[in-house]
């Protein structure tokens, strides 16, 4: 055997590749240190870490990591809009994230729930809202439009509908497949069988009971109280008021034990039921209510928005309404009525956005308990004549303090900022909200400065961040025109999301599905412009070209 030269051996050794095995330094760290490292990652990198290993999947899904991410993205930016905190300067230490000391503003109830709050799910929910990403489902509830039109309300995942044909019904938005109706009750099971429902409201007192209290106003001026038992999936009538000669009840608000009604004759009435509604008498008939106060108006025209707020010292009611004016078209007005627990009127205030020189049609002398804004108040000095009135009547009106939102048929909306304190009630100058491409038929203002609006065709549904539009920052003032809204676009499955099989067949199926989805979306249009939303979904009342009515649910969860 020929011996190899020493130099040849060295060359062969130098050309041989050495396998490099990197050391896994992350696995040697404790879970506590890894959680600290993960808290500094962006959300898109955090979701990628969940795919690396079982251990990282568990750590990257930790609730405390997503709680900090939720705070930094959704709570801190909102805190920066609070008056007195300028953008660009250092925020107060109370707005820096801390597991125990941070201020969560309206998200405080999520923190109080402790471990029951899934912060990753909450983050995904708010993220979907900001993108307009959701899933769309429809439930047909009537083959033809009832007369009067069908009434709808949403509360805690339960949809309540009322009409003269099918009566009072309750639907679940969380049911999967099959019939989502959970209870029904005929409304003609009383002496006023010829009366049809004209208004609908759900108890907003925030009681902890599992039952849902419902109030229904009728065309003959009567109203009834009903109770939905979730455990038994049943509806029961608890009280029926006698008819009235003041016309049908156009609007109603309910916060037990108080009930507020507005009739066709513009009579505002506040009732109080006996406060003996305990757990044992939840399903028993209620005693007749006491009429606390009744005021006559000459300027309050529909659309109307009523609200009741109860406190240990008394009750405060508000009514937002459309109002015609001399030579200036239509404007809006707001009245607040504050009463004691005994029913004595402590204060009544009116506010309008136009200047003192304008007067409403049918303006008369101030009636007892109905005061007018004082001369020289901020509402008369700071009003802008450009957006205080419109030539057309509002198609929809929604008021959730401090936001008053009016929708119009010229594709725009007007947002008013309401200031209500112990000294004054002021409606600021209106700010336009543009973005719709057709007539705005309905709008609704919810919590945290969020609003949802729908076009008359039903194909343009938008989510608005009202706080950004009313910010004092100049760039945010410019954003009020369109950049503060997000168009809701339901997800449509594409070919890339289908399993691999026959490309030609999948492409044909995808085109057919997309065309069917678009045709179905065009076939649905809003009826009366009603819509509402909660933390997880938007619900609107749709009507097809054939006249069938359906509940259209956009789920963001």
């Amino acid at each position: 055997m020929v011996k190899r030269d020493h130099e040849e051996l060295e060359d062969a050794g130098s050309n041989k590749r050495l396998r490099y095995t990197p050391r896994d330094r992350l696995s040697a760290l404790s879970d506590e240190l890894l959680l600290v490292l993960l808290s500094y990652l962006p959300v898109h990198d955090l979701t990628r870490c969940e795919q690396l290993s079982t251990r990282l999947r568990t750590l990257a899904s930790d609730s405390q990591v997503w709680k900090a991410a939720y705070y930094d993205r959704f709570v801190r930016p909102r805190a920066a809009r609070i008056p007195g905190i300028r953008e660009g300067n250092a925020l107060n230490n109370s707005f820096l994230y801390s597991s125990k000391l941070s201020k969560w503003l309206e998200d405080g109830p999520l923190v109080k729930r402790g471990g029951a709050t899934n912060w990753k799910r909450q983050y995904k929910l708010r993220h979907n809202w900001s993108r307009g990403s959701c899933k769309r489902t429809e439930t047909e509830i009537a083959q033809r439009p009832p007369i009067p039109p069908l009434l709808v309300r949403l509360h805690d995942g339960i949809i309540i509908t009322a009409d003269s044909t099918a009566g009072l019904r309750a639907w679940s938005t969380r049911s999967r497949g099959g019939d989502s109706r959970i209870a029904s009750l005929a409304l003609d099971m009383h002496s006023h069988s010829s009366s049809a429902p004209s208004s609908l409201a759900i108890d907003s007192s925030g009681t902890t009971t599992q039952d849902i209290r419902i109030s229904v106003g009728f065309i003959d001026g009567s109203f009834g109280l009903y109770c939905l038992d979730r455990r038994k999936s049943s509806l029961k009538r608890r009280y029926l008021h006698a008819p009235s000669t003041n016309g049908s009840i156009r609007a109603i608000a309910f916060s037990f034990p108080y009930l507020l009604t507005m009739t066709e004759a513009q009579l505002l009435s506040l009732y109080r039921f006996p406060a003996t509604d305990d757990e044992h008498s939840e399903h028993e008939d209620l005693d007749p209510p006491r009429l606390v106060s009744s005021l006559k108006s000459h300027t309050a025209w529909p659309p109307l928005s009523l609200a009741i707020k109860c406190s240990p010292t008394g009750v405060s009611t508000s009514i937002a309404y459309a109002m015609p004016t001399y030579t200036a078209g239509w404007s809006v007005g707001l009245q607040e009525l504050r009463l004691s627990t005994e029913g004595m009127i402590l204060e009544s205030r009116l506010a309008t956005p136009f200047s003192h020189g304008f007067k409403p049609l049918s303006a008369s002398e101030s009636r007892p308990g109905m005061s007018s804004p004082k001369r020289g108040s901020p509402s008369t000095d700071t009003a802008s004549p450009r957006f205080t009135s419109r030539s057309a009547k509002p198609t929809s009106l929604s008021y959730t303090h401090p936001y008053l939102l009016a929708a119009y048929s010229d594709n725009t909306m007007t947002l008013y900022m309401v200031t209500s304190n112990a000294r004054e009630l002021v409606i600021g100058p209106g700010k336009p909200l543009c973005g719709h491409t057709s007539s705005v038929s309905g709008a609704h203002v919810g919590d945290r400065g969020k609003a949802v609006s729908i076009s008359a065709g039903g194909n343009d549904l938008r989510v608005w961040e009202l706080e950004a539009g009313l910010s004092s920052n100049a760039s945010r003032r410019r954003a009020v025109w369109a950049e503060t809204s997000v168009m809701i676009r339901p997800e449509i499955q594409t070919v890339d999301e289908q399993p691999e099989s026959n490309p030609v067949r999948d492409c044909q199926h995808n085109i057919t599905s997309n065309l069917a989805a678009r045709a179905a979306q065009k076939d649905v249009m809003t009826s009366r412009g009603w819509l509402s939303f909660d933390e997880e979904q938007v619900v609107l009342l749709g009507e097809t070209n054939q006249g069938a009515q359906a509940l259209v649910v956009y789920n963001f969860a």
Side-chain angles (χ1 to χ4, degrees):
M1 181 175 180
V2 180
K3 294 184 179 180
R4 300 179 65 182
D5 194 13
H6 180 71
E7 295 181 356
E8 293 180 0
L9 293 176
E10 289 184 353
D11 293 340
S14 62
N15 293 331
K16 187 178 181 180
R17 292 184 179 182
L18 297 178
R19 179 176 297 178
Y20 174 73
T21 303
R23 295 180 59 186
D24 186 3
R25 301 180 184 274
L26 286 178
S27 299
L29 298 178
S30 63
D31 292 349
E32 291 76 9
L33 290 177
L34 287 177
L35 287 175
V36 174
L37 295 178
L38 292 174
S39 64
Y40 289 98
L41 293 180
V43 172
H44 63 275
D45 290 337
L46 194 61
T47 55
R48 290 178 180 178
C49 289
E50 297 179 355
Q51 305 174 5
L52 298 179
S53 65
T54 304
R55 183 188 180 195
L56 284 177
R57 180 187 305 172
T58 303
L59 295 176
S61 302
D62 187 80
S63 184
Q64 292 300 319
V65 175
W66 287 96
K67 181 180 180 181
Y70 182 95
Y71 185 87
D72 289 336
R73 179 174 178 184
F74 300 112
V75 180
R76 285 194 66 195
R78 186 164 184 264
R81 305 187 190 113
I82 298 177
I85 301 179
R86 297 183 178 180
E87 188 175 15
N89 296 340
L91 289 176
N92 191 299
N93 291 334
S94 59
F95 291 106
L96 299 178
Y97 175 73
S98 173
S99 59
K100 296 182 179 180
L101 302 179
S102 297
K103 291 186 177 180
W104 287 82
L105 304 179
E106 276 77 8
D107 291 298
L110 294 176
V111 182
K112 293 181 180 179
R113 288 166 54 185
T117 301
N118 188 338
W119 288 102
K120 182 179 179 181
R121 183 179 184 276
Q122 292 295 327
Y123 186 97
K124 181 180 179 181
L125 182 63
R126 293 288 298 272
H127 175 71
N128 290 341
W129 273 102
S130 64
R131 295 179 53 195
S133 176
C134 60
K135 291 185 178 180
R136 182 174 180 266
T137 59
E138 298 179 12
T139 302
E140 183 176 328
I141 57 177
Q143 296 183 353
R144 59 181 60 88
I147 301 176
L150 187 139
L151 306 172
V152 190
R153 288 296 181 269
L154 172 66
H155 177 76
D156 194 20
I158 301 296
I159 302 175
I160 305 297
T161 63
D163 63 273
S164 56
T165 304
L168 191 65
R169 291 177 291 177
W171 311 77
S172 174
T173 60
R174 297 164 184 168
S175 62
R176 298 183 179 180
D179 190 4
S180 59
R181 183 176 55 185
I182 59 178
S184 62
L185 178 67
L187 293 177
D188 57 357
M189 298 174 59
H190 48 75
S191 56
H192 320 303
S193 58
S194 61
S195 181
S198 58
S199 57
L200 178 66
I202 297 179
D203 182 16
S204 60
S205 59
T207 55
T208 58
T209 177
Q210 293 294 326
D211 298 332
I212 299 177
R213 303 188 188 98
I214 307 164
S215 59
V216 181
F218 296 93
I219 289 181
D220 60 1
S222 63
F223 61 85
L225 262 61
Y226 303 84
C227 180
L228 171 63
D229 190 340
R230 293 189 180 184
R231 295 178 292 270
K232 299 180 180 180
S233 299
S234 62
L235 281 164
K236 180 183 179 181
R237 191 192 71 205
R238 301 193 59 195
Y239 176 77
L240 181 64
H241 199 69
S244 173
T245 58
N246 294 304
S248 65
I249 297 181
R250 286 182 169 179
I252 190 170
F254 185 30
S255 180
F256 193 86
Y258 293 96
L259 181 72
L260 185 66
T261 63
M262 186 68 174
T263 65
E264 187 177 6
Q266 299 182 341
L267 182 66
L268 183 68
S269 302
L270 179 65
Y271 298 89
R272 189 181 192 280
F273 285 89
T276 58
D277 194 33
D278 52 19
E279 184 178 357
H280 299 285
S281 60
E282 184 68 29
H283 304 284
E284 298 178 359
D285 293 340
L286 292 174
D287 295 332
R290 176 174 61 91
L291 180 61
V292 177
S293 180
S294 182
L295 301 176
K296 178 73 173 180
S297 174
H298 296 275
T299 57
W301 295 85
L304 305 170
S305 180
L306 304 184
I308 302 177
K309 184 178 180 180
C310 300
S311 65
T313 59
V315 58
S316 177
T317 65
S318 64
I319 171 173
Y321 52 89
M323 179 175 58
T325 60
Y326 284 123
T327 69
W330 288 84
S331 184
V332 297
L334 179 66
Q335 178 173 359
E336 283 189 354
L337 187 65
R338 191 165 59 91
L339 303 96
S340 64
T341 54
E342 292 78 15
M344 181 181 300
I345 298 179
L346 303 178
E347 186 179 17
S348 179
R349 304 183 295 184
L350 284 172
T352 55
F354 47 75
S355 62
H356 187 73
F358 290 94
K359 291 184 179 181
L361 297 174
S362 305
S364 59
E365 297 295 329
S366 298
R367 304 176 68 88
M370 301 190 70
S371 59
S372 301
K374 297 181 180 179
R375 185 185 298 271
S377 64
S379 61
T380 63
D381 296 338
T382 62
S384 171
R386 183 177 179 183
F387 298 111
T388 53
S389 59
R390 306 287 289 271
S391 59
K393 184 180 179 181
T395 58
S396 175
L397 199 64
S398 179
Y399 173 59
T400 300
H401 185 77
Y403 304 104
L404 176 58
L405 187 61
Y408 295 90
S409 59
D410 60 353
N411 309 356
T412 64
M413 299 187 296
T414 303
L415 176 63
Y416 301 91
M417 189 70 166
V418 178
T419 302
S420 177
N421 49 44
R423 295 181 291 105
E424 60 187 4
L425 174 65
V426 178
I427 299 180
K431 294 178 183 263
L433 296 178
C434 301
H436 281 281
T437 57
S438 60
S439 172
V440 184
S441 60
H444 180 69
V445 180
D447 298 332
R448 287 199 295 262
K450 182 187 297 182
V452 176
S453 58
I454 182 69
S455 63
N459 55 357
D460 190 2
L461 186 63
R462 290 185 173 270
V463 179
W464 302 81
E465 293 294 339
L466 304 181
E467 288 182 339
L470 289 176
S471 175
S472 59
N473 189 283
S475 62
R476 289 175 180 161
R477 284 202 304 267
R478 291 192 297 269
V480 71
W481 291 95
E483 298 175 4
T484 55
S485 68
V486 176
M487 186 175 181
I488 296 179
R489 303 179 184 272
E491 295 180 355
I492 300 178
Q493 196 173 28
T494 62
V495 178
D496 296 335
E497 298 172 343
Q498 298 283 351
E500 297 183 0
S501 54
N502 189 335
V504 177
R505 183 187 62 187
D506 291 344
C507 184
Q508 294 176 350
H509 174 75
N510 179 65
I511 295 176
T512 305
S513 300
N514 285 345
L515 291 177
R518 293 174 183 175
Q521 189 169 358
K522 291 182 179 179
D523 194 39
V524 176
M525 60 184 68
T526 59
S527 174
R528 296 188 67 197
W530 179 89
L531 78 161
S532 183
F533 67 95
D534 56 15
E535 292 292 333
E536 297 184 1
Q537 55 203 349
V538 176
V539 180
L540 61 91
L541 179 61
E543 181 178 337
T544 64
N545 295 334
Q546 289 76 24
Q549 292 192 339
L551 293 174
V552 185
V553 180
Y554 297 84
N555 194 331
F556 293 83

